Amino acid sequence: MGKSQKKRSMRRHNPMRVPDSHLPKGLAAASESSSKTEAILPIIQKMQGADAAERKWACVAVSNLIQNDPSTRRLLQGKNIVGTLITRLTDSEEEVVVEAAGALRNLCIDGGYDICAEMYNKSILVPLQTFVPKLSTTLSQYLDDQKTAPENAQKLVYEFANNVITLLWCLSETSNKALNAINQLQLVPFLISFLGARQKIPLATVTAAAQCLYVLSDDNPPAIADLRADGGYIACLLSILQEPPQDEADPRTGTLRVLAAGILRNVAPLPPPSVASALDLDAEIVLPQLTPLLSISLTEVSETALQLLGSAPETEKPKDSGLKNTPKSDHKSPAEVGLERLENRLRTVQLALEILTGACATLPDPQPDVLIDDEDDDEEGDENSDDNPDADMATPEEAVPDSREQTQSLPSLVTPLLQLIQPTTLSFPPLAAPSPHPPTTSALSAIHLAAFECLNNIFLTLARDRHANAADVGAVWDAIWTALGLVGTQTGLGQEQRRAVWEAATGVLWGVATVSRGIVEPKPEQVQALMALCDGATADAQLRVKCIGTLEALAQNPAFVDANATIAVYLLSMLPSANGPSPAGTEPMLQAASSLIDIYSDEDAPWDINFRSGGYLARLQGSVDGIKTAVRAIDRRKEGGKELRRRGEEVRDNLVAFIKYRKDLGL
């Protein structure tokens, strides 16, 4: 089993609010599906015009047009709106620059990685890096004497800082190339200055700085080193967690506290002489700060969102801008404000879950493979190598030497997490009936996924720790299947989040089944669902491995010998034979062979009758040559190849020994 992790190529937080993968590609398709096509050309023209007021209006109009409207966003992209807005970052009028940065910020948040990559490729960092020192200087002046500038000027600067910081945050998640470029800006002192002045500047700007700092400190050594180098930075983060919230009604107050906890966890272990260096960060800071957030009722949030959507936003009419072809004003109705607060609250819970997922993983991250450059490596010689395939692999006991206290606290998280995996009416709408409010739907489905990933790490840890006391595994098992029944199996463009939830849930099922081996009932419909999921995941070896591992555990219930036979026959079908290689692929095939060994390692088990009467020994024996061939073919130079080769050699040797053992029994 593997814990939920992010890859450097796709970082943990996805800034995209409303996925648009279901939309047809191409400018013509965007034009056909957008209801605002006629508004595009006037906006582009005004943005490049001589009138500063019209340029400002055009930048604001872009933000309004793209809100929850991916078709129009794609249409604007096709008209090079990104390049046009980047040009406006060097506009002679400050307000135009501010609004251009705001429009680019909103494009990042609504559009995700593709737009961020386009911005990076069009050199947005060139103007952005000039803004950082200017903002630092202005911030220092305002904080020294807030009377030096009128309130509206300060508001403009803080709004601009928010836009610039959010752009840097989103860009840093785009690619390693963009992250390395942003590392060169050495943003940590700049961002910390906003956190230190949080009592004097708007909460939105402070939160944006914390978000950016959280992302930069996530598995990024340069930023981590900068944070650890100054004890004042650590003290600032700790003080955020110790002081009472500024505004209990504003969800961003809670977000700031969650981010502070997350940043501290990112830079752990905290360096002395910080008073926190001796703390157990997860047990004493992260869990106490974040666990209360899990008590949110997603059903109530969904119902509130629907009520807000049903209210009449026309009660307050937006003011006329005086310009023709104008999109709606940026005025927000009470319903829109309420929906935005709900989304902020949901995103805070999502963030807390992501941090808890890391805290619940008490096993170390696997080390990256070292690429093998020796072209003359003797693949045949590996089969009889004297090297111990497990020589540099830690045993569970070695991997978690002091985790027992934390492990014992993990089951307390299970009950609230089981509530968070249950979909609401807004979580997974079918493509035929799109969500009435995509941002809420996006946030809800992200929470369900994050809760599953957190459960995955909890049960991985419980399965690895023989001293752990599991929760009521039967109730957990039933709750997972109830949730999956509500998620459904609809596939296709726009339904990717359903698939992601199933993938994460399968990891949890594997962990629960392992912890409760011999306890959970292998219900036929659930066994068939796992087999169908496995068969349908031909391109996802890891998902197939999870399904096989879960089936292995289900097969070991002494009261269901028939289910054992059904599962065994399925696993045997994945093995190679004299007629050809495994139809399942190398990694799933190795897991199937390993599972069969584990299932039938005890000849006194009630289900062993299936092994003897079904002729499984002969089938296993007939697979040995094919497994040896498959193991020799594993390319250790590919990503993950070294570990897979090691795993394959272990399974191969275990299978040969198991066959000899069963033969010697003479049963």
Side-chain angles (χ1 to χ4, degrees):
M1 286 177 285
K3 60 183 169 180
S4 296
Q5 302 169 14
K6 61 186 179 299
K7 296 181 180 179
R8 292 296 295 164
S9 60
M10 183 66 75
R11 297 176 61 79
R12 174 184 293 150
H13 170 74
N14 185 346
M16 184 166 56
R17 295 171 69 209
V18 186
D20 58 4
S21 57
H22 62 284
L23 292 177
K25 306 295 182 183
L27 188 58
S31 180
E32 290 174 4
S33 57
S34 173
S35 61
K36 303 168 185 173
T37 303
E38 294 181 359
I40 299 298
L41 184 58
I43 289 174
I44 299 294
Q45 291 173 338
K46 292 178 187 301
M47 192 175 295
Q48 299 170 330
D51 188 330
E54 289 194 348
R55 295 200 302 273
K56 175 186 174 183
W57 170 86
C59 293
V60 174
V62 170
S63 295
N64 290 335
L65 282 177
I66 66 171
Q67 187 175 21
N68 303 331
D69 190 347
S71 295
T72 301
R73 186 184 70 241
R74 288 187 171 186
L75 186 58
L76 282 163
Q77 278 184 269
K79 301 293 186 180
N80 191 32
I81 193 63
V82 169
T84 305
L85 284 168
I86 291 175
T87 301
R88 294 275 67 80
L89 292 179
T90 55
D91 198 280
S92 58
E93 292 292 331
E94 287 188 356
E95 290 193 7
V96 175
V97 175
V98 172
E99 296 300 344
L104 287 164
R105 166 194 179 274
N106 290 345
L107 280 169
C108 273
I109 292 175
D110 277 354
Y113 294 109
D114 289 342
I115 283 185
C116 291
E118 182 183 350
M119 290 180 188
Y120 176 76
N121 291 334
K122 291 182 176 177
S123 302
I124 192 175
L125 284 179
V126 174
L128 288 185
Q129 67 184 356
T130 67
F131 297 147
V132 172
K134 293 178 182 178
L135 284 168
S136 292
T137 301
T138 305
L139 179 65
S140 297
Q141 293 172 349
Y142 285 178
L143 294 177
D144 289 342
D145 184 4
Q146 291 190 306
K147 297 179 181 179
T148 57
E151 184 177 346
N152 62 335
Q154 294 187 40
K155 180 178 182 295
L156 190 70
V157 168
Y158 293 137
E159 180 182 338
F160 182 53
N162 187 347
N163 293 337
V164 170
I165 291 169
T166 303
L167 280 167
L168 292 168
W169 151 34
C170 292
L171 287 166
S172 68
E173 297 181 299
T174 304
S175 66
N176 284 334
K177 185 184 294 186
L179 178 63
N180 290 336
I182 289 172
N183 280 338
Q184 300 303 312
L185 304 182
Q186 297 183 314
L187 293 174
V188 169
F190 171 69
L191 297 171
I192 283 286
S193 66
F194 287 91
L195 272 60
R198 59 190 177 277
Q199 303 291 350
K200 300 180 180 179
I201 59 181
L203 183 57
T205 307
V206 177
T207 305
Q211 286 274 15
C212 190
L213 197 58
Y214 171 66
V215 170
L216 286 177
S217 63
D218 182 12
D219 195 22
N220 182 27
I224 292 172
D226 288 346
L227 277 164
R228 299 180 87 242
D230 191 323
Y233 297 165
I234 303 298
C236 175
L237 293 165
L238 287 169
S239 66
I240 292 174
L241 298 173
Q242 295 165 351
E243 66 190 15
Q246 294 183 43
D247 182 0
E248 290 283 4
D250 192 333
R252 289 173 300 195
T253 297
T255 305
L256 182 61
R257 298 171 70 86
V258 172
L259 288 166
I263 296 166
L264 287 169
R265 191 170 196 282
N266 285 346
V267 303
L270 302 182
S274 168
V275 294
S277 59
L279 294 177
D280 182 334
L281 198 63
D282 284 340
E284 300 182 55
I285 294 180
V286 174
L287 288 173
Q289 287 285 340
L290 306 190
T291 302
L293 295 173
L294 305 187
S295 61
I296 185 174
S297 170
L298 298 185
T299 300
E300 290 182 5
V301 170
S302 181
E303 290 173 352
T304 301
L306 290 171
Q307 290 171 2
L308 289 169
L309 288 166
S311 62
E314 295 80 14
T315 52
E316 294 182 55
K317 299 292 183 183
K319 296 178 181 178
D320 186 358
S321 67
L323 294 171
K324 295 181 180 179
N325 299 309
T326 310
K328 70 175 184 179
S329 164
D330 60 356
H331 168 85
K332 293 180 180 178
S333 69
E336 290 172 321
V337 172
L339 287 167
E340 190 174 275
R341 282 181 173 267
L342 283 181
E343 185 189 357
N344 287 337
R345 188 181 176 200
L346 292 173
R347 293 298 182 187
T348 299
V349 175
Q350 178 193 354
L351 177 65
L353 286 168
E354 291 169 351
I355 297 169
L356 286 170
T357 296
C360 290
T362 57
L363 300 179
D365 286 325
Q367 295 301 312
D369 287 347
V370 178
L371 296 183
I372 299 172
D373 297 322
D374 186 1
E375 296 285 347
D376 301 321
D377 182 44
D378 182 8
E379 299 286 347
E380 290 287 340
D382 284 350
E383 185 173 329
N384 299 311
S385 171
D386 292 331
D387 293 342
N388 178 2
D390 296 325
D392 54 355
M393 295 176 65
T395 65
E397 290 79 5
E398 293 169 333
V400 245
D402 300 311
S403 64
R404 191 171 304 175
E405 283 189 17
Q406 183 174 346
T407 301
Q408 291 174 344
S409 70
L410 294 183
S412 64
L413 295 174
V414 171
T415 298
L417 288 172
L418 291 179
Q419 296 297 318
L420 295 180
I421 66 173
Q422 303 300 324
T424 73
T425 53
L426 282 177
S427 298
F428 298 100
L431 190 56
S435 169
H437 193 248
T440 299
T441 289
S442 176
L444 286 168
S445 61
I447 286 176
H448 301 318
L449 178 58
F452 269 119
E453 290 173 341
C454 195
L455 283 168
N456 178 79
N457 282 359
I458 288 175
F459 281 96
L460 167 65
T461 302
L462 295 176
R464 295 290 183 94
D465 192 325
R466 68 187 64 179
H467 305 287
N469 294 317
D472 183 349
V473 289
V476 174
W477 182 266
D478 291 341
I480 294 170
W481 282 103
T482 297
L484 290 175
L486 294 171
V487 171
T489 56
Q490 186 174 356
T491 58
L493 295 176
Q495 301 298 317
E496 293 84 0
Q497 198 75 334
R498 294 181 195 268
R499 177 74 172 190
V501 167
W502 271 92
E503 292 174 1
T506 306
V508 185
L509 290 172
W510 189 5
V512 174
T514 302
V515 169
S516 60
R517 197 182 301 269
I519 299 175
V520 171
E521 176 185 346
K523 297 178 180 178
E525 65 274 17
Q526 295 173 359
V527 170
Q528 292 300 321
L530 288 167
M531 291 179 180
L533 183 62
C534 187
D535 290 339
T538 53
D540 191 339
Q542 285 298 310
L543 177 56
R544 304 189 87 178
V545 166
K546 293 175 187 177
C547 293
I548 294 165
T550 307
L551 290 168
E552 171 199 328
L554 291 177
Q556 299 179 60
N557 189 317
F560 296 90
V561 175
D562 289 345
N564 173 277
T566 300
I567 293 170
V569 170
Y570 179 71
L571 299 182
L572 286 167
S573 72
M574 295 184 172
L575 301 184
S577 66
N579 297 324
S582 166
T586 300
E587 194 169 0
M589 176 268 291
L590 292 172
Q591 181 63 45
S594 177
S595 293
L596 286 163
I597 294 170
D598 287 344
I599 292 169
Y600 297 109
S601 60
D602 180 6
E603 66 275 12
D604 294 325
W607 55 80
D608 198 67
I609 184 65
N610 293 329
F611 186 88
R612 299 193 294 272
S613 63
Y616 296 171
L617 181 59
R619 179 68 182 88
L620 288 172
Q621 191 168 2
S623 71
V624 171
D625 288 343
I627 289 177
K628 288 181 178 180
T629 299
V631 171
R632 285 196 300 268
I634 297 171
D635 187 351
R636 293 181 296 180
R637 290 168 293 190
K638 292 183 178 180
E639 182 180 0
K642 183 179 179 182
E643 180 59 35
L644 182 58
R645 178 66 176 268
R646 189 179 292 157
R647 167 71 169 156
E649 291 167 352
E650 178 186 11
V651 173
R652 175 201 65 204
D653 294 344
N654 287 345
L655 180 61
V656 171
F658 175 74
I659 291 171
K660 182 179 183 301
Y661 170 74
R662 294 295 310 207
K663 280 184 175 180
D664 291 345
L665 286 176
L667 297 176

